[in-house]
Amino acid sequence: DGFEVPLKEAILLKKNTRYGIRALIKGPSSQRGTNLINPVQCSGVTFTFFTSEDPGSRTDVREGQLPILLFSL
């Protein structure tokens, strides 16, 4: 059980550039992924995840709330 969080518009990502995704999740405790794969390769693209520099973040590269990232080439 989950939900989609669509972006208002497509974002063109640049190679070797770090991007951050932030979500404010309210309500009761939710499930979180653990033992994540890092880096992830798909369709010739490599995604490398880093621990957030945000001191308020409660997730890191080992466990987190965003289980999937959809992209197109």
Side-chain angles (χ1 to χ4, degrees):
D1 295 340
F3 55 91
E4 291 184 23
V5 181
L7 302 176
K8 291 181 181 179
E9 58 186 59
I11 299 171
L12 180 62
L13 302 179
K14 295 179 184 177
K15 184 177 182 176
N16 297 319
T17 303
R18 284 191 186 189
Y19 295 89
I21 298 174
R22 182 181 224 177
L24 175 60
I25 301 172
K26 293 184 178 182
S29 295
S30 60
Q31 294 181 351
R32 58 195 297 137
T34 58
N35 301 319
L36 307 176
I37 299 169
N38 190 32
V40 176
Q41 294 183 350
C42 183
S43 300
V45 178
T46 300
F47 292 93
T48 303
F49 298 90
F50 298 89
T51 296
S52 173
E53 295 177 5
D54 178 358
S57 176
R58 292 183 290 173
T59 62
D60 59 31
V61 296
R62 293 168 290 152
E63 60 181 346
Q65 293 286 351
L66 303 173
I68 190 168
L69 178 64
L70 298 177
F71 71 98
S72 63
L73 299 174

